[in-house]
Amino acid sequence: MASVWRLSVLCGARGGRALFLRTPVVRPQISAFLQDQPTPGWCGIQHIHLSPSHHSGSKAASLHWTGERVVSVLLLGLLPAAYLNPSSAMDYSLAAVLSLHSHWGLGQVVTDYVQKDALQKAAKAGLLALSAFTFAGLCYFNHHNVDICKAVAMLWNL
Amino acid sequence: MAALLWRPVGRYCLHGHLSPRLCIRNWSLPMAMSIVHRGTGVALSAGVSLFGLSALLLPGNFESHLELVKSLSLGPVLIHSAKFALAFPLMYHTWNGIRHLMWDLGKGLKVPQLYQSGVAVLLLSVLSSVGLAAM
């Protein structure tokens, strides 16, 4: 899947300190885009396509990336909110956001380490099943058992 | 400086005739922290999945399981350490996650900043885990 990276090249007031991603030797695949060295006074945004792929997939990949960040920020906010204001709605949203964040995170791990096509499809399917069961289990726990927030409090009071 | 700390790791690889894939790399703090971020993420996901699946599959409710643990009469030190062991991966992953989100905004990508923010994340993780374990 194509990933679009936006690199903001900062014009340092201190005189252009090197951005850590900029290397003197550029790999062939991306040299076409990085051949033009930015002039010292150049400030701007450089779009780099890192992997060739079906262009129809790049929009989906970009949305996926943004979705991942949104969910991460959401989870970050939910943790203190659930502590300060435990409620049933909080428990269910925690279950949903936690399951989704972990599903997408493990998806990245699978993408990185399982390269063969058929094996990756199988791994992704297994991951989907695992995440679905996890979410179901968390909701079941919320419904029939103690609430998640209360459960953590009880565990911590051991 | 970080390279000096990691050199013994490379030497160990060569002594053990291990695959050079890990040895030829110059390990660095950002690199190690990145793999730990992934490791804690996978561990946390495994924990959450285990929790969810056991809610579906195991008999008995949560209170009965807690009573079981209470009946083991584990010492306070063990309980404290267990709480720290649970809290640390979560705190590390959370603080490093914030560091990742800062990078996504384009901030703090210069190399010295990488090391500074890395050390800050490690300190915050330890402090917040100790604080949580004490609660």
Side-chain angles (χ1 to χ4, degrees), chain A residues 81-95:
Chain A
Y83 175 71
L84 294 170
N85 196 5
S87 75
S88 179
M90 203 65 78
D91 288 319
Y92 281 102
S93 14
L94 205 57

Side-chain angles (χ1 to χ4, degrees), chain B:
Chain B
M1 179 202 75
L4 286 171
L5 288 171
W6 290 108
R7 203 160 290 156
V9 177
R11 230 180 282 133
Y12 171 74
C13 276
L14 294 171
H15 282 318
H17 305 284
L18 292 172
S19 153
R21 263 180 242 146
L22 293 175
C23 311
I24 54 178
R25 288 171 173 276
N26 246 337
W27 283 81
S28 61
L29 185 68
M31 187 178 168
M33 287 188 72
S34 173
I35 197 65
V36 172
H37 186 76
R38 183 159 266 194
T40 51
V42 173
L44 288 166
S45 296
V48 169
S49 289
L50 220 70
F51 186 78
L53 287 173
S54 57
L56 284 175
L57 299 171
L58 289 183
N61 63 353
F62 189 66
E63 282 120 343
S64 63
H65 291 123
L66 269 188
E67 286 301 315
L68 185 68
V69 178
K70 261 199 202 137
S71 67
L72 294 171
S73 327
L74 302 164
V77 174
L78 202 56
I79 292 195
H80 235 80
S81 336
K83 285 187 186 175
F84 183 83
L86 278 177
F88 185 74
L90 180 64
M91 285 295 104
Y92 177 87
H93 193 83
T94 305
W95 293 117
N96 206 29
I98 297 178
R99 186 167 165 240
H100 259 94
L101 289 170
M102 287 293 116
W103 291 339
D104 291 332
L105 288 172
K107 298 197 162 94
L109 287 168
K110 298 198 168 96
V111 177
Q113 290 173 320
L114 246 53
Y115 283 85
Q116 286 161 6
S117 59
V119 171
V121 161
L122 283 171
L123 280 174
L124 278 169
S125 306
V126 173
L127 289 175
S128 49
S129 307
V130 168
L132 279 180
M135 279 168 67

